[in-house]
Amino acid sequence: MGLIFWSLLLLQAIGLTVASPVYSQPRQTTLWDVIVVGSGPAGTIVASRLSESGTKKVLLLEGGGPSYYVTGGTERPQWLAGTNLSRVDVPGLYSTIFSGTTSLTCGKNVNAFGGCTIGGSSAINAGLFFEPPASDFDNYFPTGWKHADLQPSITKLYQTQPSTDNPSQDKIRYLQSGYTAVKKWLVTNGGYTELDINANAAKKTKVFGHTIYDYSNGQRGGPVISYLQSALKRSNFRLQSGAWVQRIIRTGGVATGVVADVGGVSTTYSLSAKGRVVVSGGALKSPELLMKSGIGDPAVLTRLYQANKLGGLSPKSWINNTAVGAGLYDNPNTFIELSSPSVQAYAYSYDNPPATDKALYLDHRSGPYSFAGQTSAFWDTVQRTDGSVAGMQGTIGTGGYSDYTNSTTITLNIYGTSGLKSKGKVVLDSNFVPGPSSDVYYSNAQDAIDISTFIHRLFAALPNSNIYPLNIKATASQAEIQKYITTPSAYAVGQVNHWSSSCRFNACVDTNTVVVGTKNIHVVDGSIVAPLTVNPQMGIMIVAERAAGIIAPLL
């Protein structure tokens, strides 16, 4: 313990705040006003905001371990040795998380790819930071959560969380050949408008622009940097990593604490008389925790009870609600490999970046490693015959994928967004590990029609663009495209892991984010967020800001 203590002092002396090491015993004697389960983007924001009172005791529990260097993270390639950087801090190492070994992902704890570490998936994703259009909130969220209600939260988020569409500190835009080629295709040929995406957040029909990241100073940002570091300085706030919460302890609808596995030791954290539990484990883990706390579909609770997974909670104490875990959503995606003689592809390396690029990053936080590799994004809508609308998004990367990785190939990632009709649910496998059901993608045929219509429309603008799709014929019919995108392959029907909507308002939680049937258990994360027109991270952060403002007066 002495070595850990002096190491922490050294890091603090050079200006870095680090996450506390695991000392469970002193905290077991504390009565907490708020216990937040999960340090992803939502949990971190809620815990930080609720600790701002300076008087309410806030405990943030995270099952995983360190991520960013500032949290004690040390997972990194050799070329980062001797720096104050872990792999998480370097945006250009984002794509390398999908290959090789890492301690940052959920592994056997979830049947899907995600971050189980300080920061959750915000520590491993690309850091794309797109403001949802007002229509998302006005069309898909309940009263009290419309865009006008959320505007103060949006303002607070922008004030706290830096973002940029040009992360390189030398202000040079790198790896732009794909941007230029696609701009000719979409803007010149296809009638799209080039614009600043977040400055024009309401516009999501035929628009194109530079991707926006939640980075600062050429490094990965996100709530761990912009929120958590402030919270760690408050005496009423504690972060406990390595604490896998097993269940919420409750009497009827009133939670009194949680039970967590901390280093193999069952540990109880208790609430004060007016205390509250905020579940922020993400759209797969949060429903699991509710289920294992006796809240959910009675058929699922029966399985858990028969396997002695409910901590002895008898059926008469169950809170039966089939909405827990229902409505799970993820963006159905298709990778389209694009070749052009005007494109210079770039592949990021974990161990061996080009010497020039390595020096640019280490010495100046500039160059290709200052961003995650998405150079542009664009949106359009598909209007159905009944007048309803489906949102569509595309992002352009810097290199090819799978069978198409030559020097002139880049990847277009297409996915459907808001207004799609397919949805699944969170299911527990034979080992009671959570994951998505098999009907998340294309269980409603309309989604495939909408997305294939969008791709067919894009392909109509290809002539004279000097861009050639490789894995789908440029001349493919809408029906042929529909068959391709719904046939599982390396390029289609894969998980984007933008999980949301598995604990929906007015069914699983009320508009105060309180779990139906309980008094003081909240869910605040992607579970309560409706499918959005953009990557969900910023929307989740906005919702977390709003939820913190609702919960604070209840303490």
Side-chain angles (χ1 to χ4, degrees):
M1 186 169 77
L3 177 60
I4 295 174
F5 175 77
W6 288 111
S7 297
L8 290 169
L9 285 185
L10 175 60
L11 287 169
Q12 291 168 343
I14 61 175
L16 294 174
T17 304
V18 296
S20 303
V22 177
Y23 301 137
S24 60
Q25 288 302 318
R27 293 174 219 176
Q28 282 184 273
T29 62
T30 302
L31 295 179
W32 299 96
D33 298 302
V34 184
I35 298 174
V36 180
V37 182
S39 70
T44 296
I45 289 175
V46 170
S48 178
R49 289 300 189 200
L50 295 180
S51 71
E52 288 179 343
S53 69
T55 58
K56 301 299 181 182
K57 295 183 177 67
V58 178
L59 176 64
L60 176 58
L61 298 175
E62 168 57 48
S67 51
Y68 300 72
Y69 183 84
V70 75
T71 69
T74 58
E75 187 175 302
R76 61 187 180 185
Q78 183 60 36
W79 65 276
L80 294 181
T83 71
N84 62 348
L85 301 169
S86 78
R87 72 179 300 167
V88 171
D89 296 290
V90 182
L93 293 179
Y94 148 71
S95 61
T96 67
I97 197 76
F98 299 105
S99 59
T101 58
T102 178
S103 63
L104 302 172
T105 54
C106 295
K108 65 181 181 180
N109 295 294
V110 182
N111 290 322
F113 190 87
C116 285
T117 187
I118 296 172
S121 288
S122 70
I124 67 167
N125 63 22
L128 297 178
F129 193 70
F130 299 129
E131 181 181 339
S135 57
D136 279 355
F137 299 112
D138 291 340
N139 292 339
Y140 305 119
F141 281 66
T143 300
W145 290 82
K146 303 300 185 181
H147 187 258
D149 304 307
L150 288 159
Q151 189 57 61
S153 300
I154 295 170
T155 300
K156 288 181 72 173
L157 178 59
Y158 273 123
Q159 291 170 342
T160 309
Q161 177 60 60
S163 60
T164 179
D165 70 354
N166 189 8
S168 186
Q169 294 302 283
D170 61 9
K171 296 309 172 187
I172 297 172
R173 294 190 188 276
Y174 290 84
L175 310 182
Q176 292 297 296
S177 63
Y179 185 95
T180 302
V182 174
K183 178 181 175 180
K184 179 181 179 182
W185 170 27
L186 295 181
V187 177
T188 304
N189 293 3
Y192 279 64
T193 300
E194 184 183 26
L195 46 67
D196 181 322
I197 292 168
N198 278 359
N200 298 274
K203 297 180 179 180
K204 289 294 178 284
T205 300
K206 300 193 82 169
V207 296
F208 169 86
H210 293 284
T211 45
I212 299 175
Y213 296 96
D214 61 359
Y215 302 163
S216 57
N217 302 316
Q219 296 180 201
R220 179 189 291 273
V224 170
I225 302 301
S226 52
Y227 288 82
L228 181 59
Q229 299 312 303
S230 298
L232 285 167
K233 297 173 183 176
R234 302 181 188 121
S235 61
N236 60 314
F237 176 88
R238 295 300 295 269
L239 166 66
Q240 174 73 67
S241 59
W244 292 96
V245 176
Q246 305 298 301
R247 59 186 175 88
I248 300 166
I249 307 168
R250 60 180 180 83
T251 301
V254 178
T256 58
V258 302
V259 175
D261 182 323
V262 183
V265 177
S266 181
T267 305
T268 298
Y269 300 101
S270 299
L271 290 173
S272 63
K274 293 184 65 176
R276 291 179 175 267
V277 173
V278 181
V279 181
S280 299
L284 296 174
K285 289 289 288 179
S286 288
E288 176 208 16
L289 180 57
L290 294 181
M291 293 171 188
K292 291 180 178 178
S293 304
I295 305 169
D297 186 328
V300 176
L301 300 186
T302 298
R303 280 185 61 212
L304 290 165
Y305 179 72
Q306 291 172 343
N308 195 28
K309 299 289 185 181
L310 292 181
L313 200 64
S314 66
K316 67 180 181 181
S317 299
W318 297 353
I319 298 174
N320 296 324
N321 186 348
T322 57
V324 174
L328 179 68
Y329 177 83
D330 187 25
N331 301 115
N333 85 305
T334 302
F335 293 124
I336 302 176
E337 303 308 306
L338 304 174
S339 180
S340 172
S342 65
V343 163
Q344 295 175 311
Y346 187 90
Y348 288 90
S349 171
Y350 182 73
D351 291 308
N352 297 298
T356 301
D357 295 343
K358 178 170 67 174
L360 265 175
Y361 190 77
L362 292 178
D363 297 340
H364 306 290
R365 297 297 188 267
S366 299
Y369 280 76
S370 66
F371 74 111
Q374 287 82 2
T375 60
S376 58
F378 60 91
W379 286 264
D380 200 1
T381 53
V382 172
Q383 187 157 354
R384 306 182 183 113
T385 55
D386 64 0
S388 62
V389 173
M392 301 289 151
Q393 179 177 329
T395 57
I396 298 291
T398 60
Y401 171 70
S402 193
D403 298 321
Y404 304 95
T405 56
N406 66 27
S407 62
T408 60
T409 300
I410 55 177
T411 300
L412 164 60
N413 189 5
I414 290 286
Y415 39 83
T417 60
S418 58
L420 296 192
K421 297 177 177 292
S422 300
K423 56 188 177 182
K425 62 182 179 180
V426 177
V427 295
L428 304 181
D429 69 11
S430 59
N431 293 315
F432 303 100
V433 175
S437 59
S438 61
D439 54 352
V440 172
Y441 311 107
Y442 300 122
S443 54
N444 188 304
Q446 185 64 50
D447 294 350
I449 295 170
D450 294 338
I451 296 171
S452 58
T453 297
F454 174 53
I455 295 172
H456 189 253
R457 186 191 300 167
L458 290 173
F459 281 11
L462 280 169
N464 303 315
S465 68
N466 211 23
I467 292 177
Y468 308 94
L470 301 177
N471 57 319
I472 306 178
K473 294 185 301 181
T475 57
S477 67
Q478 183 268 330
E480 288 173 324
I481 295 171
Q482 182 174 338
K483 181 178 180 180
Y484 185 89
I485 69 173
T486 56
T487 302
S489 71
Y491 309 95
V493 204
Q495 293 179 350
V496 179
N497 298 295
H498 290 171
W499 304 109
S500 70
S501 314
S502 58
C503 188
R504 299 193 180 210
F505 280 115
N506 293 327
C508 180
V509 294
D510 65 19
T511 53
N512 286 330
T513 72
V514 175
V515 175
V516 172
T518 75
K519 301 292 186 182
N520 62 340
I521 301 173
H522 299 257
V523 174
V524 182
D525 58 19
S527 306
I528 67 172
V529 176
L532 299 174
T533 302
V534 297
N535 296 66
Q537 181 159 301
M538 186 175 180
I540 290 171
M541 294 168 75
I542 292 167
V543 165
E545 282 277 14
R546 170 71 172 154
I550 291 172
I551 295 170
L554 303 177
L555 298 174

